[in-house]
Each structure stands twice: as structure tokens, then as C-alpha cells.
Amino acid sequence: MTMESKPKDFSKQSRIKIHQPDASKADRFNPRNRIYVRAVDGIWSTLRRRMGWIALSFFLILPWIPWGDRQAVWFNLAEQKFHVFGLTIWPQDLTLLAALFMIAAFGLFFVTTYLGRVWCGYTCPQTVWTFIFIWFEEKLEGARNKRIKLDQMPWSFDKLWRKSAKHTAWLLISLLTSMTFVSYFVPSAEVYIDVFTLNASGGVYFWVVFFTLATYGNAGWMREIMCLHMCPYARFQSAMFDKNTFIVGYDASRGETRGPRSRKADPKALGLGDCIDCDLCVQVCPTGIDIRNGLQYECINCGACIDACDTTMERMGYDKGLISYTTENKLDGIKESVLRPKLVGYGVVLTVMILLFIYASATIAPVRMDVIRDRNALYRENNLGEIENTFTIKILNKTEAKHQYQLSVEGIDNAKWIGPQTVDIDGGEVLTLPISVAVDPVELKRSVTNINIVVKSEIDGELVTTTQETRFFGN
């Protein structure tokens, strides 16, 4: 039973149950039904806009920050190198990338357990780009009521130019977004110059067009459909919620019974609560829900309904906070508990993973070596009567500067190194070097001996030693 049909029943269950919409509002789940979002000002809307602009600015600027002879952030798929400022991640270091994703996941779990879906409401790209598109829509087509009337009007010159200008703006934003995203994988200067001079490769054109259309469709047309029907986060977030998670909540005990009244009227004398049933909280919601119906998975915790309600309460001379960031326990009059086992557990795991990631990132070896034995023959006897084993050594210079490396073998006395023992390798290059190790049979105590191939180099004033164990076979 909804609050409208039974306004005095404000049990816990009625407030927190997943909303089952009545027939009059069921069409909001229809992908073809458009939601006209009303503009709202307030502390949370201002915070959301500023955080959105900060996130957008980082996204647009990062590919243009120089770092030596390259851009600071560059995911070079062609050469299998991920550059993040001074850190270069190679395929051999992809465990770092996996750890980074795990940190992001546990960070999301921690924040969601504590603050609910603030990621969705304030920093999710879908939310940020959707509100940017809505801003252009408002500037070119007018406020919410004007946009509704415009869509209902027959086609005219005024409607044509407004619609054309809006979609042109959307496409330009989408194109800028797409080219910026591609610039993380292809040098940004090349992307912009080559695309507009028609010198880019077919792959670059494909991804630019693909992400342009994806951004245009997601933020311009699909909007809340992504949140309601496609985003999996809305579905599994309930597993992270508890009774102390901050949610956008409506204080039904204060707001009911709803009803319009004049500013001078005494609501208590009329048997009414503080809610004047203006429906502004519904009109400003980007997913089209009525927060007064309780906790709903479609709520993205953006706080727009809080700003709208606080504005109405201020005009009516009532206390703010009828809709607010609150918890289930607070709504029930139960003392809140910030430190609870699940939140502490997420926090501890997140902290440990961050520390391990920092340590692993700071201790990435600047040199990597692989030693591959000759698979055709275990050993051979050369013309001097020595036992000779052949190896292929691959040395990867993981720095961005050229360095000289000294190679040697340890583990067998008087072993001869056949091949170059001093090599120069450019930054980011892999040297493949075939060599042989020869030993007098007298020095061999057994048929299989463990040996070490050693590579030494002075990097940034520090002697770096890399060792790879292998086996030497004799007769």
C-alpha cells in the first residue's frame, strides 16, 4: 500500500521497500517515455556540477600534459606499454593493473557502504555527460515546461532550429569526448591533426565515430535508461547497503499527510504534514522517481530532490531537511553507527591494497631478463673438448633512457662466455642475444648444474643487478 492510500502508516517496511510504481506512473519504465528534468539550484546541485566539471577537466586535459618526449598518460597498445606520468607498465607488470582495478572496486564498495550511490550521483561519466547535455538542452529549448510544449507543437522554423542547434551541440560534445578518449591510446596531437586532415588510419576513424555515436546515444537519448535497465551497479548495490548507509530519504513522519496550503495556513490545524505535494522532487529527478515512495534502486543519490524540497520548505517558512541525506536507522529514531564490521573490513582491505600497490609501483625492476635454452640440443662438445650450452637471452630496458649492460655467468668455476658481454639497449627496447657457455668437463661435478645469468647496469646512479637461474647440462 502506498503512502497516498494509507498516509498514517509510516512503518520501517513502508519506507525502505523497493518501490512498486502504481499504474499512473508505470510508464516511466518505458524506454520510449521521456523524462523532462527540471533545473534546480542548491548546495548539492552546485557540488555535483563542480565535481562534474573537475572530472571533465581532468579527462580533457590529461592527454595534453607533456612528459619528456611523450604525453604523460598514454596507453600505447601497439608497443604494449602503459605510460602514467613517470611510471611505465609493461605486459609483465599487468598484475599492477589488476591490483589497480581491485583497489577501485574495494574503494567503490567502501564508499557505497558508507555514503550510498554517491558515485552514481556525482562522478559517474553517464551522470556527468547527461547533465552537460541537459544544460545545452535548457539553453537552447528552454526550461522544463517549455521543452514539453515544444515537443508537443507541430514542426515550425522555431522548433527546427532549436532542435537542430541542440543536436549539433550534442554531436560536437560527443566528438570532443570521443577524440579525447582515443587520445589516451594514440598521441593526442596526432589524433586531432590526422583526423581533421584526413590522414588518420581506418582504426582511428572507426573508434572516433564509434565513441561519438555512443556518447551521443547514451547521454542524449538513453540517459536514465542506462541507469534503470543496463547498469549492473544499480542491481548489486543493495548487497552493500545496511541500515547505517547514507541514502536520500524522505521523513514521512514529518511530511505526511501531504497537501497544498497557503503559506500563512497552519498545517497542524489542517491535519497536514510539511509536504505540500508540489511534486518538484519528482520533476528534478534525473531518473524520474518519487523519493517519497521510499528507497528505490533507481535513486542515484544525486541530491537534486533535496535541493528542490529545501527551496520549497524555505519559501513556506518550514525547517529544511524534509528530504535529506539520512540513514534507515535515523529515520526509525535509532542511533546511527558509523564504524560497523563491514565498513571497517572494506576500509582495512582497501588500505592494505593501496599500500601494496604503492610499494609494488615504487619497486618495479627497471630491467627484465628471460633466459631460453636451445631446445634442439641439451649440449655439444666443441673443438677444444669443452661442453657447450646455447641460450637465447632477452633483456628488456624498462626505463625511457639508453643504458649499457654487462652480462656474466655464475655457478660454475672457469666458465667461458661466448658472445658479447657488454651491450647498449635503448629505452623501452628488447634485445635478443644468442650466447653460449662453455665449461671444461673437469669442472663439472654432475650432469646437471644450476647456473645464474647475471645482468648489471648503472641506472640513475644506482647499480641494478638482475639474475635469472637456468641449468647447464653436461655428459
Side-chain angles (χ1 to χ4, degrees), residues 34-40 48 130-131 134-135 137-138 142-145 147-148 223-224 282-288 302 304:
R34 183 179 177 188
I35 295 176
Y36 295 85
V37 181
R38 184 186 183 116
V40 61
R48 186 188 66 247
T130 294
F131 276 106
I134 291 176
W135 184 86
E137 193 173 58
E138 290 173 348
R144 178 179 183 271
N145 292 335
R147 298 201 303 273
I148 295 175
R223 295 186 180 177
E224 74 286 345
V282 180
Q283 296 178 24
V284 301
C285 179
T287 59
C302 67

Side-chain angles (χ1 to χ4, degrees), residues 139-151:
K139 296 301 179 182
L140 294 170
E141 294 186 357
R144 178 179 183 271
N145 292 335
K146 290 184 178 180
R147 298 201 303 273
I148 295 175
K149 291 181 180 179
L150 183 67
D151 284 349

Side-chain angles (χ1 to χ4, degrees), residues 63-355:
W64 294 98
I65 298 177
W67 191 271
D69 58 351
R70 61 169 173 82
Q71 61 191 51
V73 180
W74 180 23
F75 306 131
N76 188 349
L77 297 180
E79 299 181 10
Q80 299 181 346
K81 294 185 290 186
F82 289 179
H83 301 287
V84 182
F85 293 91
L87 176 65
T88 299
I89 301 177
W90 295 79
Q92 297 86 348
D93 303 316
L94 283 183
T95 50
L96 285 176
L97 192 60
L100 188 61
F101 286 139
M102 293 177 67
I103 289 173
F106 276 97
L108 190 62
F109 298 161
F110 177 82
V111 172
T112 301
T113 301
Y114 182 46
L115 298 174
R117 295 183 64 187
V118 292
W119 159 262
C120 296
Y122 289 85
T123 54
C124 175
Q126 177 69 23
T127 301
V128 172
W129 263 258
T130 294
F131 276 106
I132 291 174
F133 276 43
I134 291 176
W135 184 86
F136 277 93
E137 193 173 58
E138 290 173 348
K139 296 301 179 182
L140 294 170
E141 294 186 357
R144 178 179 183 271
N145 292 335
K146 290 184 178 180
R147 298 201 303 273
I148 295 175
K149 291 181 180 179
L150 183 67
D151 284 349
Q152 294 173 345
M153 292 170 54
W155 282 99
S156 62
F157 176 76
D158 181 70
K159 182 175 181 177
L160 179 62
W161 84 260
R162 290 183 185 276
K163 292 289 185 181
S164 300
K166 179 188 74 173
H167 288 284
T168 300
W170 285 0
L171 284 170
L172 289 175
I173 298 170
S174 301
L175 179 61
L176 176 62
T177 301
S178 175
M179 295 183 69
T180 301
F181 184 75
V182 173
S183 295
Y184 282 88
F185 301 89
V186 180
S188 53
E190 294 181 17
V191 172
Y192 284 84
I193 294 175
D194 291 350
V195 166
F196 290 113
T197 58
L198 303 180
N199 290 318
S201 65
V204 170
Y205 280 117
F206 171 80
W207 290 114
V208 167
V209 172
F210 176 83
F211 287 115
T212 297
L213 295 178
T215 304
Y216 173 73
N218 288 347
W221 292 94
M222 300 182 73
R223 295 186 180 177
E224 74 286 345
I225 295 174
M226 296 291 296
C227 303
L228 299 181
H229 303 286
M230 301 180 69
C231 178
Y233 182 52
R235 300 304 192 270
F236 69 75
Q237 59 141 352
S238 58
M240 291 171 268
F241 274 38
D242 57 39
K243 295 181 179 180
N244 292 291
T245 298
F246 278 90
I247 59 173
V248 175
Y250 166 69
D251 190 350
S253 61
R254 172 187 161 188
E256 303 296 322
T257 303
R258 314 172 196 169
R261 80 294 303 266
S262 67
R263 295 183 184 179
K264 298 180 180 180
D266 183 2
K268 294 183 179 179
L270 299 174
L272 299 174
D274 285 355
C275 179
I276 67 173
D277 206 19
C278 62
D279 273 344
L280 287 180
C281 56
V282 180
Q283 296 178 24
V284 301
C285 179
T287 59
I289 66 172
D290 188 342
I291 196 63
R292 296 170 296 180
N293 290 327
L295 178 63
Q296 299 152 67
Y297 78 86
E298 303 94 339
C299 177
I300 61 173
N301 270 34
C302 67
C305 57
I306 299 177
D307 290 334
C309 187
D310 283 349
T311 300
T312 299
M313 293 295 102
E314 188 175 18
R315 290 173 179 172
M316 295 297 296
Y318 302 160
D319 293 335
K320 297 180 180 180
L322 178 60
I323 301 176
S324 64
Y325 283 109
T326 184
T327 67
E328 181 185 339
N329 276 342
K330 187 174 182 179
L331 288 173
D332 292 333
I334 302 173
K335 184 179 179 181
E336 298 172 283
S337 177
V338 175
L339 296 177
R340 57 263 198 200
K342 183 165 64 173
L343 184 65
V344 172
Y346 284 143
V348 170
V349 173
L350 178 62
T351 302
V352 171
M353 293 188 66
I354 290 175
L355 293 176

